[in-house]
Amino acid sequence: MPDPVPGPVPGSVTDPMPDPSSRIALVTGANRGIGFETARQLAAAGVRVLLAGREREAVTEAAEKLRADGLAADPLVLDVTDPRSIRAAAREVDGSHGRLDALVNNAGIRIEEYGRQPSEQPMRQWRETFDTNLFGVVEVTRAFLPLLVRSPAGRIVNVSSLLGSLTTHSDPRSYAYSPMFKSLPAYSASKSAVNSWTVHLAYELRGTPVKVNAVHPGYTRTAMNDGAGDLDVADGARTSVTMALLGDDGPTGTYTHSGETVPW
């Protein structure tokens, strides 16, 4: 884990929590879907948002859409599966801003095919899923943590899923207890692991102003869900935005959706 950078103790009386108009947030996977909407809502709250994604053209176009609406947004090339790309992005943010107030680990993939038994999903899909959904989250967080501890109110939001809930998966009354969602074992397991990472990091940072939380966006209509879902994208982004703007009295180490606790 990178060592915290020296400086004023975050959250001290002389280093107050910044208001939204002076905050800087980074959202991974921000060129479309829930990630783009999360960036838009944060920018609409006055936050300067860094829209991160693998392809320069895609994140530049996404940032320009927000700028056209008068919002503060900048593109950032960041491939969560490439350590060199992650380190380069962290250096760029350090050079441009010197700190980071919120990191929303939104980038994720679902590549498994519906209809297969859990044991039938290929190992290559397990590895590819974990590379993005878990290892990418851990490596991005480690790279940006020195910038987050420079903030008087650092926030880390890990976008999980209800499919990461072992309780939900074991409940015959749940929609996850079905052939459709049991055919996504790698995706579900990767999100369970994100939840575990969340509570471990929250414990490490418990004596600091940095808060670390996992969120379930809701079953949102996006390309990842093949257009299926109960919520529109605006609603799907709302929990991430709320936790990114969490006040000093907010929780850490939680797993929530729309203000409600999701069972582990």
Side-chain angles (χ1 to χ4, degrees):
M1 180 67 67
D3 294 327
V5 287
V9 177
S12 66
V13 174
T14 58
D15 199 7
M17 179 177 179
D19 60 50
S21 64
S22 64
R23 294 187 208 179
I24 302 154
L26 188 160
V27 182
T28 65
N31 57 289
R32 63 177 184 172
I34 292 176
F36 177 75
E37 179 61 20
T38 299
R40 190 196 67 77
Q41 290 184 23
L42 285 170
V47 177
R48 174 167 288 279
V49 181
L50 310 178
L51 288 83
R54 291 180 297 179
E55 299 176 4
R56 184 177 301 277
E57 183 177 349
V59 291
T60 299
E61 181 180 345
E64 287 175 350
K65 287 180 182 178
L66 298 186
R67 289 174 175 172
D69 291 333
L71 302 176
D74 299 304
L76 180 69
V77 177
L78 194 166
D79 181 347
V80 302
T81 67
D82 183 346
R84 289 176 298 180
S85 175
I86 294 170
R87 290 193 297 269
R91 288 193 299 268
E92 182 174 340
V93 175
D94 188 12
S96 298
H97 304 286
R99 76 171 199 280
L100 185 64
D101 299 301
L103 169 64
V104 181
N105 285 307
N106 168 80
I109 59 172
R110 190 276 295 173
I111 57 175
E112 295 158 293
E113 298 174 20
Y114 291 121
R116 285 185 172 181
Q117 295 292 346
S119 62
E120 294 174 345
Q121 295 291 358
M123 284 306 302
R124 63 173 178 79
Q125 292 185 349
W126 278 84
R127 293 188 176 94
E128 187 175 345
T129 297
F130 268 69
D131 276 346
T132 296
N133 292 4
L134 175 64
F135 303 140
V137 169
V138 174
E139 192 146 15
V140 168
T141 303
R142 284 168 48 90
F144 283 92
L145 190 55
L147 300 181
L148 286 155
V149 299
R150 290 179 188 166
S151 169
R155 303 289 179 259
I156 300 171
V157 181
N158 295 325
V159 178
S160 181
S161 167
L162 189 65
L163 296 183
S165 167
L166 301 182
T167 300
T168 299
H169 265 295
S170 303
D171 183 355
R173 299 166 298 178
S174 166
Y175 73 79
Y177 198 88
S178 66
M180 178 179 180
F181 291 108
K182 287 298 188 286
S183 64
L184 306 179
Y187 178 83
S188 301
S190 72
K191 294 302 187 177
S192 298
V194 165
N195 291 346
S196 182
W197 164 244
T198 297
V199 296
H200 281 74
L201 188 61
Y203 175 83
E204 177 183 343
L205 298 171
R206 68 194 184 283
T208 78
V210 180
K211 298 181 185 296
V212 190
N213 293 285
V215 301
H216 165 49
Y219 190 25
T220 305
R221 292 183 288 273
T222 64
M224 180 183 289
N225 292 331
D226 298 334
D230 301 323
L231 303 177
D232 62 26
V233 175
D235 289 331
R238 200 154 286 133
T239 303
S240 291
V241 172
T242 298
M243 301 309 276
L245 298 177
L246 204 59
D248 288 337
D249 58 348
T252 190
T254 68
Y255 177 29
T256 62
H257 169 67
S258 294
E260 300 293 329
T261 298
V262 178
W264 298 105

